[in-house]
Amino acid sequence: MKPAVLIPGKKEAFANYQLAVEAAGGRAVFSGDAGDLAQCVGMLLPGGGDVMPWRYGQENTFSRDLDGERDSMEFAFLEQAVSAGKPVLAICRGMQVVNVFFGGTLCQDLPGHSRLSGGIDRLHYARTAPSFLTPLYGAAQIINSAHHQAAACLGNGLRAVQWAPDGTVEALEHTSMPIYAVQWHPERMRGPFATCGATAGDRLFRAFLNRCAQKK
């Protein structure tokens, strides 16, 4: 049976993530019960709306599309994954959840990183430090951008490993746990969404499944 990756939430909300996991050789399992993580090799935290600002000690100034129930669910899943030592791949909002979970903060509004008119992702260069990303992409990438928030102060145990030209943190990894996070959207840089010259998102999903296999 293909290795199962748990995605918190409902299947219909995250079709692109399911396709990306399956194309990489895995099986996406959707659930709202953190106990189901025990039957999976790892977890994927997907993109979405903003995290409740009170979780990182701020008043709401620019946050939108807030969903307290989703926050509670994903924080519970992440706590379970950390306790069990399960690998985690966090994407966009997922990276922000990871940063806040470990005690970090977020910039609530970041000009120049949201989608372009017509819902098209921006593309820009990013420089990458030696990390989980460098065997896949080297020291420089062209990545997509569709967010208006980003990591500010980093959480405990996290280190930045990739930056946009303006210094925005584009990827994080934990220094002692198998937790990997990107601010960009690899699920929209593969298959029918692939762009010539830009990063191949499939590589990241395959690498994550390989990490999951190593932790079994």
Side-chain angles (χ1 to χ4, degrees), residues 134-213:
T134 45
L136 307 176
Y137 304 114
Q141 293 177 246
I142 297 177
I143 59 175
N144 59 357
S145 184
H147 61 100
H148 85 110
Q149 296 195 340
C153 295
L154 298 190
N156 297 323
L158 298 174
R159 73 180 189 104
V161 298
Q162 189 179 63
W163 302 265
D166 65 1
T168 298
V169 176
E170 295 286 352
L172 299 170
E173 66 180 10
H174 199 279
T175 57
S176 62
M177 301 179 192
I179 297 175
Y180 316 100
V182 294
Q183 187 57 61
W184 39 282
H185 284 270
E187 82 285 359
R188 295 207 298 265
M189 301 189 78
R190 56 160 303 278
F193 303 105
T195 301
C196 182
T199 292
D202 278 329
R203 295 181 194 173
L204 181 55
F205 289 100
R206 288 195 296 266
F208 177 65
L209 283 169
N210 287 337
R211 295 289 177 101
C212 291

Side-chain angles (χ1 to χ4, degrees), residues 128-140:
T128 307
S131 63
F132 71 99
L133 291 172
T134 45
L136 307 176
Y137 304 114

